[in-house]
Amino acid sequence: MKEILFITTYPPRECGIATFSVDLIQAIHQKFDRNYAVKVCTIESAVEQHTYTDTVKYKLNSSVAEEFTTIAEKINRDADIELVCIQHEFRLFSEHPGQFLQFVQSLTKPVVIVFHTVLPYPIDALHDYLQQLVKACQAVVVMTRTSSVILQEEYQVEAGKITVIPHGTHLVSQKNKRVLKEKYGFTGKRILSTFGLLSPGKSIETTLEALPAIIKKNPSVLFLIIGKTHPTIIKNEGEAYRNKLKEKITELQLTDHVRFVNFYLDLPVLLEYLQMTDIYLFTSSDPNQAVSSTFVYALSCGCPIVATPIPHALEVLQDKTGIIFDFLDSGQLATAVNRLLANEKLRAQMGMAGMQKTASTAWENAAIAYTRLFHNIAGATEMLTYSLPAVNAEHIKRMSRQLGIIQFAKGNRPDIDTGYTLDDNARALIALCRVYVDRKDPTCGKYIKRYLEFIRYCIQPDGSLKNYVDKSGTFTPQNEEVLLEDSNWRAVWALGYFICQGDRFLSP
């Protein structure tokens, strides 16, 4: 098995790129563990050195110029490494940018570079530097169409060398917002939140300045500032920025409406905080910030978003998934938040649209896109072997009522108003029969009986079948308006599948 070597920051280092890398690497291992092993050359510095797991194969101290040559030689001699993937952020190599460029140029393995930031309007030195860096790589990955356009138009990078792979997100099984607020002691509060490693560029002041106008109309609002101060900021400046925010909170008399959650939260806890959030706020003041993992995580948790117009936000927050406001404009922010808090239906629509949009960018899909690219760049001839996730039938069971399985859900919540269909009950019958055969799961039996009864209910005196049934069990006029051949044949298939498995499903 060949190795992909990621050159990146990596946990326990606390930074966005480290989190990105561990999520992507885990997803690649889950999907393609029979094709590739992913190892890490972690990027360290004079002030960022840690103890790592066995995933870390090499360490590159970017504060020491000679390290770049030493590590390049080790990588070139390592016969197991098939390809190198570099996670690039300018600050990671700012101490020795020239040595980093020479390092990439000296690698004899194929190189894929992932640009987390692409700066527009480059000065000549940056333009030339980036052109040379791209020339030394076989492929470039960016996370937005805007970054791709900038590379092509302002750095003259060939379009065929660029691949756009959106930032990955987590598939989140939705939990009840009210229950989560009770769990964390926020019952009765309307939660605004932001998260990430705290630094001045996040412009938390913009929200604090907007809060008086928000609280005037919504006195139960609580703003959660989630996350520790960025480790580099701590080492250089201590908690000066956080203390400045605390002073402003006191000055604006917001003590009862703002709370710091000064922790680097584990992912499950973070996702719960986001799921109980009523509106997520992204207030970065940096127009050149190409991407943000924070608001895509919030989108995947069903949060309506109010964000400043960085390129990532402009692309993702379309189709009524969020509201854009101008940098540093606390008045616009207050207006947007008050508008959303006054309209529960709009918030629900935005949250659902966001979850649906992020489904295609789940880490599992990101892993497929990256691994296909690696496979092509490395010139691999063997077929990729996908590892399928374990079957989880709990959602099917949760969607089922006494009459049968409900037609649609909102997220993972059954929507009884959509009624039932023959087509879906036939599918459910096949699925749970297969689960029963594979796992001998006795809890499937009562659901299998329900789906069989539903199919029998749909059979008409003349032998034909109807498809659409409303929530009260009445056949709807839609049965006369829509062709039913597909659902009818699926019912025949389901019954045939059931019969071929024998009568063991109906044991007492």
Side-chain angles (χ1 to χ4, degrees), residues 401-408 415-426 450-451 453-460 464-480 482 484 487-488:
R401 297 295 182 269
Q402 194 61 41
L403 185 60
I405 190 168
I406 296 170
Q407 183 175 189
F408 292 124
D415 185 1
I416 187 62
D417 290 335
T418 62
Y420 308 84
T421 66
L422 171 68
D423 192 53
D424 288 322
N425 278 271
R450 290 179 195 178
Y451 309 144
E453 289 296 330
F454 187 89
I455 294 174
R456 182 163 65 178
Y457 180 71
C458 291
I459 299 174
Q460 302 305 296
S464 64
L465 296 109
K466 291 187 180 294
N467 185 49
Y468 298 100
V469 179
D470 68 18
K471 63 181 181 181
S472 65
T474 303
F475 291 111
T476 72
Q478 197 175 4
N479 287 290
E480 312 305 324
V482 180
L484 305 177
S487 60
N488 289 357

Side-chain angles (χ1 to χ4, degrees), residues 13-66:
R13 182 167 177 173
E14 296 172 348
C15 77
I17 290 180
T19 302
F20 174 94
S21 294
V22 74
D23 285 337
L24 178 56
I25 289 169
Q26 287 177 352
I28 292 173
H29 279 156
Q30 289 167 3
K31 298 300 294 183
F32 300 103
D33 62 340
R34 284 173 282 180
N35 292 102
Y36 290 107
V38 181
K39 294 293 184 179
V40 170
C41 171
T42 186
I43 302 167
E44 297 195 317
S45 69
V47 296
E48 284 282 4
Q49 297 184 16
H50 304 277
T51 301
Y52 303 94
T53 65
D54 292 343
T55 301
V56 173
K57 192 172 191 178
Y58 300 114
K59 298 179 183 179
L60 169 61
N61 188 335
S62 62
S63 299
V64 181
E66 294 78 13

Side-chain angles (χ1 to χ4, degrees), residues 43-223:
I43 302 167
E44 297 195 317
S45 69
V47 296
E48 284 282 4
Q49 297 184 16
H50 304 277
T51 301
Y52 303 94
T53 65
D54 292 343
T55 301
V56 173
K57 192 172 191 178
Y58 300 114
K59 298 179 183 179
L60 169 61
N61 188 335
S62 62
S63 299
V64 181
E66 294 78 13
E67 281 276 300
F68 290 93
T69 300
T70 301
I71 295 299
E73 291 173 351
K74 289 182 178 179
I75 293 171
N76 288 340
R77 290 196 301 266
D78 192 328
D80 291 330
I81 297 173
E82 185 168 67
L83 180 143
V84 175
C85 179
I86 302 172
Q87 304 297 325
H88 181 274
E89 185 67 83
F90 288 99
R91 62 179 170 79
L92 294 178
F93 308 104
S94 59
E95 292 181 272
H96 298 291
Q99 281 74 18
F100 170 68
L101 175 59
Q102 292 174 11
F103 164 80
V104 178
Q105 291 172 330
S106 66
L107 291 175
T108 57
K109 315 282 184 175
V111 177
V112 174
I113 193 163
V114 182
F115 285 123
H116 288 255
T117 297
V118 179
L119 297 174
Y121 318 116
I123 59 175
D124 289 345
L126 175 60
H127 177 275
D128 294 343
Y129 175 84
L130 204 69
Q131 278 195 328
Q132 292 181 65
L133 190 55
V134 169
K135 185 178 180 181
C137 302
Q138 279 62 52
V140 175
V141 175
V142 292
M143 298 178 207
T144 66
R145 295 186 300 275
T146 300
S147 294
S148 176
V149 170
I150 292 172
L151 283 178
Q152 293 174 63
E153 295 184 353
E154 301 187 31
Y155 293 90
Q156 291 75 54
V157 178
E158 297 177 5
K161 201 169 189 175
I162 303 169
T163 300
V164 179
I165 304 177
H167 194 296
T169 54
H170 295 279
L171 291 174
V172 180
S173 180
Q174 296 298 300
K175 297 181 179 179
N176 185 281
K177 191 183 297 286
R178 178 184 57 78
V179 172
L180 288 174
K181 287 182 179 180
E182 289 177 357
K183 175 180 177 179
Y184 290 97
F186 301 136
T187 299
K189 298 295 185 182
R190 311 188 83 179
I191 303 295
L192 312 179
S193 76
T194 191
F195 88 90
L197 293 170
L198 196 61
S199 66
K202 293 188 179 298
S203 192
I204 304 298
E205 302 93 325
T206 303
T207 300
L208 298 181
E209 291 163 2
L211 276 177
I214 296 170
I215 293 166
K216 186 176 181 180
K217 292 187 176 182
N218 300 278
S220 64
V221 155
L222 179 65
F223 176 43

